[in-house]
Amino acid sequence: MARPTHIDNEQLLKAARAVFQERGAVATTAEVAERAGVSEGSLYNRFKNKQALFEAAMAIQDVPPDWVLYLVEHLGDNDLRHTLETAGLMALAYFRNVVPYSTMTWSNRSASQSTRRPHTVAATMALAELFQQEIERGRLRALNPVV
């Protein structure tokens, strides 16, 4: 198979993300290179080692997840069920990335502390806030929204 003459970082990171999500921490840079259609050396030209590639591929932005933004935008909408179902599907996609990333970084003592941020805490609190507001509107039973 002919290799592309140029592949951008996002294509490399997309391939790496897929491999790490499928294989976990045991994934090799050779597998990532094969998936991306580049040589293993090409990976090392851009990332100093497998850990740097992993952190770049699995990085989670320091912005609220899209499902949290969706909830905030749709607070008080007439169709609470639709809002929660849509946000739930968006959250599943988000956590498909977060859970493997968190598990691998927590189990890897060499991972930088910056990769160990509790991204899910803010998201959980945003969901609890939505529940609290819906409780106050009388659209949900009065239970502890954090639980």
Side-chain angles (χ1 to χ4, degrees):
M1 167 168 107
R3 299 196 186 274
T5 56
H6 176 72
I7 185 169
D8 66 23
N9 275 359
E10 189 50 43
Q11 290 171 290
L12 284 177
L13 295 176
K14 183 177 179 182
R17 192 174 304 116
V19 171
F20 287 127
Q21 288 176 337
E22 290 169 14
R23 303 258 304 125
V26 299
T28 66
T29 53
E31 291 171 310
V32 172
E34 182 179 344
R35 175 76 59 99
V38 299
S39 70
E40 202 170 358
S42 293
L43 292 177
Y44 287 111
N45 284 336
R46 297 185 198 195
F47 305 96
K48 68 181 181 178
N49 55 34
K50 178 181 160 182
Q51 183 66 35
L53 173 62
F54 170 78
E55 289 182 12
M58 302 301 286
I60 300 166
Q61 302 300 315
D62 286 331
V63 296
D66 59 351
W67 66 273
V68 172
L69 296 174
Y70 178 85
L71 286 173
V72 171
E73 290 171 14
H74 292 85
L75 284 175
D77 280 3
N78 289 335
D79 192 348
L80 176 60
R81 181 184 190 113
H82 180 265
T83 298
L84 292 175
E85 286 174 352
T86 302
L89 292 172
M90 294 169 78
L92 286 173
Y94 170 79
F95 284 110
R96 274 190 208 106
N97 188 29
V98 171
V99 171
Y101 173 79
S102 298
T103 302
M104 286 185 270
T105 55
W106 292 333
S107 65
N108 183 355
R109 293 181 186 266
S110 67
S112 68
Q113 289 301 314
S114 65
T115 65
R116 297 181 186 207
R117 287 183 289 263
H119 299 282
T120 56
V121 173
T124 302
M125 295 314 294
L127 185 58
E129 176 63 26
L130 168 80
F131 288 161
Q132 182 59 45
Q133 290 182 21
E134 293 299 338
I135 288 168
E136 290 169 6
R137 287 185 177 98
R139 297 186 339 159
L140 290 176
R141 282 187 293 160
L143 299 171
N144 183 339
V146 175
V147 174

